[in-house]
Every structure is written in structure tokens, then in C-alpha cells.
Amino acid sequence: MSHAGHEVPAAHDLAEHKGLNEGALTFFGTLMIGLASVAPAYSLAATLGYVVIEDGTLAPVAVVLGFIPMLLTAFAYRELNKVIPDCGTTFTWVTKAFGPGIGWFSGYVLTIAGIIVLANLAQVAAQYTFLLLGADSLAENTFWVTVLGVVFIAVMAWVSYRGIQIAHWLQNVLVGIQYLALGVLVVVAFIAIAGPNRPDTAIPIEASWFNPLGFFAEDGGGFGALTEGMLLMVFIYWGWDTILSVNEETQEREKTPGRAAVAATLILVATYLLTTVAAISYAGVGTEGIGLGNEDNAGDVFQAIAEPVLGDWSWIVLVAVLVSAVASTQTTILPAARGTLAMGVYRALPRQFSTMHPRFKTPTVSTLFIGGVAIVIFVLLSLLGENAYGDVLLAIGLQISFYYGITAFACVWYFRKDIAHGGRDLWIKGILPLLGGLILLFAFVKSAIDMWSPDYGYLGGWTVPGTSVEIGSVFLLGIGSIILGLPIMFLIARRSEQKQFFRGESLHHDTPVLVPD
């Protein structure tokens, strides 16, 4: 059999299947891994302040608007997973739809996004550990935060290395702690707001908070505020696609991951909406004190409001954010390692990346590679100072929007013959994913333009030598890390082993999925 005029490799040239632990996860276990990967407590702590600074009391509608492209994209993931239940997800699907070049690049962007965010997760986990222990001075000490953060990445890489079952058990516990703590915070905040001793900062909940037309009012901020809020919310929702990356280890892999992905996005929008409304109504959007518009609180809104809301029980929120960051550190390694595993199996990366542990049934080289590179990037960001983490959070939305969006477009193109028949296929495989992809594309382009400004972000700008042109640090981090994939791809494509992939031989539209029968 041939494809596009090229000979398809003999069966023995590629592994019969990747060797992952088939059927180890149930629907519930898959859902827990997805929720843990999103890290709701950490994501809110790290991002909500920036959303409020940008959008004020319109932050709740930004939560909803950010959810829309996530849900639309989740349909694309679900439909692609039904016919291609491959742990390479975006890499495999985009390659089958658009060819090896775009497929490889999409896999790279997915991987680099995961590696970069590991640095921020490790920093938060380390800081919160010291805060929980009462060692506030160590929490502010870059050296010790970096040392402990490196330990966290190394330990979570080891957990991922040891097998999906131990990872699954750990995530059940950590997700439960997160949701219990967030529930306590929200309920107590609402009780305080409604009680006779409501805080001075409290503001009443209004219908205008949920009106998207508010962005176009005189003080609403316009398209810029809308797209920035959406991009930040894309980061908050990011991670549910981990569910699809463990599809080969899930029971009923054609159905369960897709259903769990849609369920996860619905649970997340409810969680984020309730927490955002409670936080804004309790603390207000002022620029002083515990106000969520105070830039001093932007890096972690929960540190600002936990003690006023919960008093001596504020440690509950510290525990929630800590376990959230730790859980996400581990579940972020899972999809990145399985993505590079698939790239190794299909010869898009050196075959060493396809190496599996015979007993644990986990990617060995891929897992260690992701953990090792994440440690290096974490140390480099630590040397740049704490402001670098704020810029990374702003920039990473570009990478997420890119690979979610390209996956949505891949769904439309891959199923174009089905879509032509109309009916359900037209909507579920065509119109809805296309809308999701277009929204993410718009957010990507608009935000990239805004990020060019040196005033955008916290590290300032960089002047092009010999000119007066200044480029914003967020643009450099976001677009720069994406573009870096091009020279890496060209170098890898020159290797004789990888030419098989880049000629469209080892993975193309008709290549069977390399999973157990």
C-alpha cells in the first residue's frame, strides 16, 4: 500500500503499539486527571487578578466567553478521538489532516507550552510550601524557592515514570482537596457578603457583570479588554485535553475520553464562575488593600483574600493552591511525555523517545526529557526574576490558543467528507469546531498585536540593536518560543531517521493507530 506516491513502511518498521497500560483508567479516573491537570485552585490564584485588572467587574462574563471556545474545541477533540484514539492527540490528528510539517510544529507547540508552565507550577508549589510551614522569608528567597521547585518537578516526573495507576490515585486525593477548599472559601465569602458585618470592600452582584456588551460601553475597554480577558481564561481552562492524551490507557478509549473532556469543561465553568463572583463581590475591584484590581495582589489573589474571609482557617486555601500546583505539575508531564512518545513512535523524533518501561508501561526517555528541560527553563526564569512568571502566564495563552485552534481546524478538514452530508456531522464536526478555531485565531492575532508593546507585561521591552524599535517581553516569550520550533524542526527533518516522517510515510491520513487491539 502507498500514500501520496510513497511506500508505506513495513509492519516491522514501526511498533505494533506503543506499550501503554491499556484500560487502566475508568471515566471517573480520566475525569480526575483532566481536572487535576487544569489545576483550578492554582489557575484562579495565578490568573484571576490579571483578569480583574483588565476587565474589572466584567471578569465573570470573561469566564463564560473563555469557556465557549473551550467547549467548541472539546467537540473537535471528542470527534477526532473517536476515530483516532492516539496519545499523540494534536500532533497525530493535525499530521493526518494537514501533513507532517504542520503536524510536527503543532506537536512542538503543545509540548513547549507544557514545559514552560511547569516552571510556573513549580515556583507556586515551592512558595506555598514555605508559606504553609510559616517560613515566609524562604517563600521570598529566590534561591530556596528554585531549589524546592526543582525537587517538585523531579518528584512528579518520578511519579509519572512509575505508572498511570499511582498517578491516578494521587490525583483523586489532590482534586478532592482542591474542590473542598474552594467550596469552603466560596460559601464563607457569600455568607459574609449577605450578613450584617459585610466587609467594607464588598460590592453587590449585578446583572451587568454577565453582559458581554459591557465591554463596548464607555468604560468597558473594548475589543482589547475582551480578547485579553478571553486569552487569560483560555489559560485558566487549559489542561482538560490531558484526558485525551491518556486515551490509550482508558477503558472504551473511543468514547470515554471525549465524554470526560466535555464533562470537565462544564465542571470548570461552574467552578470558575462561582469563585470569581464570590471573590469580586467580597474584595471588590479596587486598586488598594485586598481589592482585586490591586496589582500587588495580581500574582496570587487567594493570598490577599484568604485571611479576611477565613481567618485562622486561611491555611485551607494555602493547602488547596499547593496541592493544585503539585497535581498539575504531574499531570502536565503526562500529556507532554505521551506527545513526544507518539512523535518518537511515528519517527517524528529520534526513536529513543518511543522507549517504554517494560513493567510500569510508561514512556521513559520522554518523561525524563520533559522533566529535565522543564528544570532548565525553571532555573532560567528564576534568574530573570519574579516578573518573568507574570509575563509567562500572559504569553502562554498564545501557545494554547495556537494548538487548540489548529486542532479545531484539523477536525473540520479531516471530516470534510462527513460534513458535506449535513445533519449532525455538519454541526458537531464542522460548524462548532470551526467557530471555536476562529475565536481562538482571533484571540491569538489580536493578543499578539497587543503584546508587541513594551508596556505590555512586567519585564518591559527589548530594543532591536541599531534601531529604536522596542518589542514587548511578553511578545518575545510567546511568539519567540513558538517560532523557535521552526529551526528545531528543520534540523530534525535533516536526520535520516526522521526523513521517513517528513516524507509522509510513517504517519499519514491512512496510517492505523498504533494501539492495542
Side-chain angles (χ1 to χ4, degrees), residues 290-301:
I290 66 170
L292 300 188
N294 185 345
E295 290 196 3
D296 292 337
N297 301 332
D300 188 345
V301 295

Side-chain angles (χ1 to χ4, degrees), residues 25-38 67 70-71 73-75 77-79 81-82 179 237 239-247 250-269:
L25 298 174
T26 62
F27 172 87
F28 180 78
T30 306
L31 179 62
M32 289 302 101
I33 285 179
L35 292 175
S37 189
V38 175
F67 165 71
M70 292 298 98
L71 181 62
T73 305
F75 283 117
Y77 273 76
R78 187 185 70 176
E79 295 304 311
N81 181 75
K82 283 181 181 179
Y179 273 87
Y237 286 112
W240 55 265
D241 53 305
T242 296
I243 290 169
L244 283 303
S245 73
V246 295
N247 49 13
T250 304
Q251 296 173 10
E252 295 186 273
R253 57 179 177 264
E254 295 84 1
K255 300 177 182 178
T256 299
R259 291 171 179 171
V262 174
T265 57
L266 293 172
I267 291 170
L268 288 167
V269 72

Side-chain angles (χ1 to χ4, degrees), residues 54-247:
E54 190 66 36
D55 296 340
T57 56
L58 290 172
V61 78
V63 171
V64 177
L65 291 174
F67 165 71
I68 292 172
M70 292 298 98
L71 181 62
L72 298 176
T73 305
F75 283 117
Y77 273 76
R78 187 185 70 176
E79 295 304 311
L80 285 164
N81 181 75
K82 283 181 181 179
V83 297
I84 316 171
D86 190 283
C87 71
T89 61
T90 292
F91 157 72
T92 306
W93 300 334
V94 174
T95 300
K96 280 178 166 283
F98 298 134
I102 300 176
W104 191 98
F105 191 71
S106 300
Y108 161 81
V109 174
L110 184 156
T111 303
I112 199 67
I115 289 174
I116 290 175
V117 82
L118 279 171
N120 193 269
L121 290 165
Q123 190 243 5
V124 170
Q127 279 192 329
Y128 268 78
T129 299
F130 288 133
L131 290 172
L132 193 62
L133 295 174
D136 291 13
S137 60
L138 291 180
E140 297 175 2
N141 187 299
T142 301
F143 175 78
W144 288 113
V145 166
T146 304
V147 169
L148 186 56
V150 167
V151 171
F152 272 122
I153 295 175
V155 169
M156 290 302 105
W158 177 80
V159 171
S160 300
Y161 181 89
R162 283 300 303 266
I164 194 71
Q165 286 158 319
I166 185 174
H168 162 219
W169 176 86
L170 177 65
Q171 297 310 327
N172 287 346
V173 175
L174 298 183
V175 169
I177 293 172
Q178 284 183 73
Y179 273 87
L180 177 63
L182 286 175
V184 169
L185 180 70
V186 168
V187 170
V188 174
F190 278 134
I191 291 173
I193 294 162
N197 299 317
R198 60 193 310 231
D200 296 336
T201 56
I203 55 178
I205 300 170
E206 298 180 4
S208 61
W209 295 8
F210 307 92
N211 181 9
L213 297 178
F215 284 104
F216 306 102
E218 186 175 343
D219 58 347
F223 263 121
L226 186 152
T227 54
E228 178 56 31
M230 278 187 63
L231 201 65
L232 285 166
M233 281 299 159
V234 165
F235 172 79
I236 282 186
Y237 286 112
W238 176 43
W240 55 265
D241 53 305
T242 296
I243 290 169
L244 283 303
S245 73
V246 295
N247 49 13

Side-chain angles (χ1 to χ4, degrees), residues 348-388:
L349 288 176
R351 68 178 68 226
Q352 286 83 355
F353 281 89
S354 66
T355 305
M356 296 292 297
H357 196 286
R359 182 156 63 95
F360 302 143
K361 296 184 177 180
T362 55
T364 53
V365 173
S366 289
T367 300
L368 297 175
F369 172 81
I370 297 298
V373 176
I375 287 173
V376 172
I377 290 179
F378 174 46
V379 172
L380 291 175
L381 287 175
S382 297
L383 294 175
L384 289 174
E386 194 161 336
N387 285 338

Side-chain angles (χ1 to χ4, degrees), residues 305-351:
I305 67 173
E307 189 171 348
V309 175
L310 298 175
D312 293 339
W313 291 89
S314 61
W315 58 269
I316 292 174
V317 178
L318 292 180
V319 170
V321 178
L322 169 60
V323 301
S324 183
V326 170
S328 192
T329 300
Q330 194 259 315
T331 52
T332 299
I333 292 171
L334 286 179
R338 278 147 183 79
T340 51
L341 164 69
M343 294 178 81
V345 167
Y346 292 115
R347 302 294 181 263
L349 288 176
R351 68 178 68 226

